[in-house]
Coordinates of all heavy atoms in Angstrom, one line a residue:
L2 N 99.5 -20.9 -169.7 CA 100.9 -20.4 -169.4 C 101.6 -20.2 -170.7 O 101.7 -21.1 -171.5 CB 101.6 -21.5 -168.6 CG 103.1 -21.2 -168.3 CD1 103.2 -20.0 -167.3 CD2 103.7 -22.5 -167.7
V3 N 102.0 -19.0 -171.0 CA 102.7 -18.7 -172.2 C 104.2 -18.9 -172.0 O 104.8 -19.6 -173.0 CB 102.5 -17.2 -172.6 CG1 103.3 -16.8 -173.8 CG2 101.0 -16.9 -172.7
K4 N 104.8 -18.5 -170.9 CA 106.2 -18.8 -170.6 C 106.5 -18.4 -169.2 O 105.8 -17.7 -168.5 CB 107.1 -18.0 -171.6 CG 107.1 -16.5 -171.3 CD 108.1 -15.8 -172.3 CE 108.0 -14.3 -172.0 NZ 108.8 -13.6 -172.9
V5 N 107.6 -19.1 -168.7 CA 108.1 -18.8 -167.4 C 109.5 -18.3 -167.5 O 110.3 -18.8 -168.3 CB 108.1 -20.1 -166.5 CG1 108.7 -19.8 -165.1 CG2 106.8 -20.7 -166.3
T6 N 109.8 -17.1 -166.8 CA 111.1 -16.5 -166.8 C 111.5 -16.2 -165.4 O 110.7 -16.1 -164.5 CB 111.1 -15.2 -167.7 OG1 110.2 -14.3 -167.1 CG2 110.8 -15.4 -169.1
K7 N 112.8 -15.9 -165.2 CA 113.3 -15.6 -163.9 C 113.4 -14.1 -163.7 O 113.9 -13.5 -164.6 CB 114.6 -16.2 -163.7 CG 115.0 -16.3 -162.2 CD 116.0 -17.4 -161.9 CE 115.7 -18.0 -160.6 NZ 116.6 -19.2 -160.3
S8 N 112.8 -13.5 -162.7 CA 112.9 -12.1 -162.5 C 114.3 -11.6 -162.0 O 115.1 -12.5 -161.5 CB 111.8 -11.6 -161.5 OG 112.3 -12.0 -160.2
P9 N 114.7 -10.4 -162.1 CA 115.9 -9.9 -161.5 C 116.1 -10.3 -160.0 O 117.2 -10.5 -159.6 CB 115.9 -8.4 -161.7 CG 114.9 -8.2 -162.9 CD 114.0 -9.3 -162.7
G10 N 115.0 -10.4 -159.3 CA 115.1 -10.7 -157.9 C 115.1 -12.2 -157.7 O 115.2 -12.7 -156.5
G11 N 115.1 -13.0 -158.7 CA 115.3 -14.4 -158.6 C 114.0 -15.3 -158.5 O 114.1 -16.5 -158.3
L12 N 112.9 -14.6 -158.6 CA 111.6 -15.3 -158.6 C 111.2 -15.7 -160.0 O 111.5 -15.1 -161.0 CB 110.5 -14.3 -158.0 CG 110.7 -13.9 -156.6 CD1 109.6 -12.9 -156.3 CD2 110.7 -15.0 -155.6
W13 N 110.5 -16.8 -160.1 CA 109.9 -17.2 -161.4 C 108.6 -16.4 -161.6 O 107.8 -16.3 -160.8 CB 109.6 -18.7 -161.4 CG 110.7 -19.6 -161.3 CD1 111.1 -20.4 -160.2 CD2 111.8 -19.8 -162.2 NE1 112.3 -21.1 -160.5 CE2 112.7 -20.8 -161.8 CE3 111.9 -19.3 -163.5 CZ2 113.8 -21.2 -162.5 CZ3 113.0 -19.8 -164.3 CH2 113.9 -20.7 -163.8
L14 N 108.6 -15.9 -162.8 CA 107.4 -15.1 -163.3 C 106.8 -15.8 -164.4 O 107.4 -16.3 -165.3 CB 107.8 -13.7 -163.7 CG 108.2 -12.7 -162.6 CD1 108.6 -11.4 -163.2 CD2 107.2 -12.6 -161.5
A15 N 105.4 -15.9 -164.4 CA 104.7 -16.7 -165.4 C 103.9 -15.6 -166.2 O 103.2 -14.8 -165.7 CB 103.7 -17.6 -164.8
D16 N 104.1 -15.6 -167.5 CA 103.3 -14.9 -168.4 C 102.0 -15.7 -168.7 O 102.1 -16.8 -169.2 CB 104.0 -14.6 -169.7 CG 103.3 -13.7 -170.7 OD1 102.1 -13.3 -170.4 OD2 103.8 -13.5 -171.8
V17 N 100.9 -15.3 -168.2 CA 99.6 -16.0 -168.3 C 98.5 -15.4 -169.0 O 98.5 -14.1 -169.0 CB 99.1 -16.5 -166.8 CG1 100.2 -17.3 -166.1 CG2 98.8 -15.2 -166.0
R18 N 97.6 -16.1 -169.6 CA 96.5 -15.6 -170.3 C 95.2 -16.3 -169.8 O 95.3 -17.5 -169.4 CB 96.6 -15.8 -171.8 CG 97.7 -15.1 -172.5 CD 97.6 -15.3 -174.0 NE 98.8 -14.8 -174.6 CZ 99.1 -13.5 -174.9 NH1 98.3 -12.6 -174.5 NH2 100.3 -13.1 -175.4
T19 N 94.2 -15.5 -169.7 CA 92.9 -16.1 -169.4 C 91.8 -15.5 -170.4 O 92.3 -14.8 -171.2 CB 92.4 -15.6 -167.9 OG1 92.1 -14.2 -167.9 CG2 93.5 -15.9 -166.9
S20 N 90.6 -16.0 -170.3 CA 89.6 -15.5 -171.2 C 89.3 -14.0 -171.0 O 88.6 -13.4 -171.8 CB 88.3 -16.3 -171.0 OG 87.9 -16.2 -169.7
F21 N 89.8 -13.4 -169.8 CA 89.5 -12.0 -169.5 C 90.7 -11.1 -169.3 O 90.6 -10.0 -168.8 CB 88.5 -11.9 -168.3 CG 89.1 -12.8 -167.1 CD1 90.0 -12.2 -166.2 CD2 88.7 -14.0 -166.9 CE1 90.5 -12.9 -165.2 CE2 89.2 -14.8 -165.8 CZ 90.1 -14.2 -165.0
G22 N 91.8 -11.6 -169.8 CA 93.1 -10.8 -169.8 C 94.3 -11.6 -169.6 O 94.3 -12.8 -169.6
H23 N 95.4 -10.8 -169.5 CA 96.7 -11.5 -169.4 C 97.6 -10.6 -168.6 O 97.5 -9.4 -168.6 CB 97.4 -11.8 -170.7 CG 97.7 -10.7 -171.6 ND1 96.9 -10.0 -172.4 CD2 99.0 -10.0 -171.7 CE1 97.5 -9.0 -173.0 NE2 98.7 -9.0 -172.6
T24 N 98.6 -11.2 -168.0 CA 99.7 -10.5 -167.2 C 100.7 -11.3 -166.9 O 100.8 -12.6 -167.3 CB 99.0 -9.9 -165.9 OG1 99.9 -8.9 -165.3 CG2 98.7 -11.0 -164.9
A25 N 101.8 -10.9 -166.1 CA 102.8 -11.7 -165.5 C 102.8 -11.7 -164.0 O 102.6 -10.6 -163.5 CB 104.2 -11.2 -166.0
V26 N 102.9 -12.8 -163.4 CA 102.8 -13.0 -161.9 C 103.8 -14.0 -161.5 O 104.3 -14.7 -162.3 CB 101.4 -13.3 -161.4 CG1 100.4 -12.1 -161.7 CG2 100.9 -14.6 -162.0
R27 N 103.9 -14.1 -160.1 CA 104.9 -15.1 -159.6 C 104.4 -16.4 -159.8 O 103.2 -16.8 -159.6 CB 105.0 -14.8 -158.0 CG 106.0 -15.6 -157.4 CD 106.2 -15.1 -156.0 NE 107.2 -16.0 -155.3 CZ 107.1 -16.4 -154.1 NH1 106.2 -15.8 -153.3 NH2 108.0 -17.2 -153.5
W28 N 105.3 -17.3 -160.3 CA 105.0 -18.7 -160.5 C 105.6 -19.6 -159.5 O 106.7 -19.5 -159.2 CB 105.5 -19.1 -161.9 CG 105.3 -20.5 -162.4 CD1 106.2 -21.5 -162.4 CD2 104.1 -21.1 -162.8 NE1 105.6 -22.6 -162.9 CE2 104.4 -22.4 -163.2 CE3 102.8 -20.6 -163.0 CZ2 103.3 -23.3 -163.6 CZ3 101.8 -21.5 -163.4 CH2 102.1 -22.8 -163.8
C29 N 104.7 -20.4 -158.8 CA 105.2 -21.3 -157.7 C 105.2 -22.7 -158.1 O 105.0 -23.6 -157.2 CB 104.3 -21.0 -156.5 SG 104.4 -19.3 -155.9
G30 N 105.3 -22.9 -159.4 CA 105.4 -24.3 -159.9 C 106.8 -24.5 -160.4 O 107.8 -23.7 -160.1
D31 N 107.0 -25.5 -161.3 CA 108.3 -25.8 -161.8 C 108.7 -24.7 -162.7 O 108.0 -24.3 -163.6 CB 108.1 -27.2 -162.7 CG 109.4 -27.7 -163.1 OD1 110.4 -27.0 -163.1 OD2 109.4 -28.8 -163.7
G32 N 109.9 -24.2 -162.6 CA 110.5 -23.1 -163.4 C 110.7 -23.6 -164.8 O 110.8 -22.9 -165.7
A33 N 110.7 -24.9 -165.0 CA 110.9 -25.5 -166.4 C 109.5 -25.9 -167.0 O 109.5 -26.6 -168.0 CB 111.8 -26.6 -166.4
A34 N 108.4 -25.4 -166.4 CA 107.1 -25.7 -166.9 C 106.9 -25.3 -168.5 O 107.4 -24.3 -168.8 CB 106.0 -25.0 -166.1
E35 N 106.3 -26.2 -169.2 CA 106.2 -25.9 -170.6 C 104.9 -25.1 -170.8 O 103.9 -25.2 -170.0 CB 106.0 -27.3 -171.3 CG 107.2 -28.1 -171.3 CD 108.3 -27.6 -172.1 OE1 108.1 -27.0 -173.2 OE2 109.5 -27.7 -171.8
P36 N 104.8 -24.4 -171.9 CA 103.6 -23.6 -172.2 C 102.4 -24.6 -172.3 O 102.6 -25.7 -172.7 CB 103.9 -23.0 -173.5 CG 105.5 -22.9 -173.6 CD 106.0 -24.1 -172.9
G37 N 101.3 -24.1 -172.0 CA 100.1 -24.9 -172.1 C 99.0 -24.4 -171.0 O 99.2 -23.5 -170.3
E38 N 98.1 -25.3 -170.9 CA 97.0 -25.0 -169.9 C 97.3 -25.6 -168.5 O 97.8 -26.8 -168.4 CB 95.6 -25.5 -170.4 CG 95.1 -24.8 -171.6 CD 93.8 -25.2 -172.0 OE1 93.3 -26.3 -171.7 OE2 93.1 -24.4 -172.6
Y39 N 97.0 -24.9 -167.5 CA 97.2 -25.3 -166.2 C 96.1 -24.9 -165.3 O 95.6 -23.8 -165.4 CB 98.6 -24.7 -165.5 CG 99.8 -25.3 -166.2 CD1 100.3 -24.7 -167.4 CD2 100.5 -26.3 -165.6 CE1 101.4 -25.2 -168.0 CE2 101.7 -26.8 -166.1 CZ 102.1 -26.2 -167.4 OH 103.3 -26.7 -167.9
H40 N 95.8 -25.8 -164.3 CA 94.8 -25.3 -163.3 C 95.6 -24.8 -162.1 O 96.7 -25.3 -161.8 CB 94.0 -26.6 -162.7 CG 93.0 -27.0 -163.7 ND1 91.7 -26.5 -163.9 CD2 93.1 -28.1 -164.7 CE1 91.1 -27.2 -164.8 NE2 91.9 -28.0 -165.2
V41 N 95.2 -23.6 -161.7 CA 96.1 -22.8 -160.7 C 95.2 -22.3 -159.5 O 94.0 -22.0 -159.8 CB 96.8 -21.7 -161.2 CG1 97.9 -22.2 -162.2 CG2 96.0 -20.6 -161.9

């Protein structure tokens, strides 16, 4: 998890990286989650 931000629609979006790419998707965890590794 690189960072969590709030979308204009009010959803939490997570900027995530994996060994095969990265993107931003909806985050259904704590909006105050710290950067680091997470099992999802």
Side-chain angles (χ1 to χ4, degrees):
L2 178 66
V3 177
K4 66 180 177 179
V5 177
T6 58
K7 203 156 208 172
S8 74
L12 299 175
W13 292 110
L14 292 178
D16 183 2
V17 298
R18 295 186 191 282
T19 68
S20 60
F21 50 87
H23 68 276
T24 194
V26 294
R27 186 171 176 212
W28 179 251
C29 296
D31 185 351
E35 294 292 322
E38 292 186 336
Y39 290 82
H40 289 276
V41 296

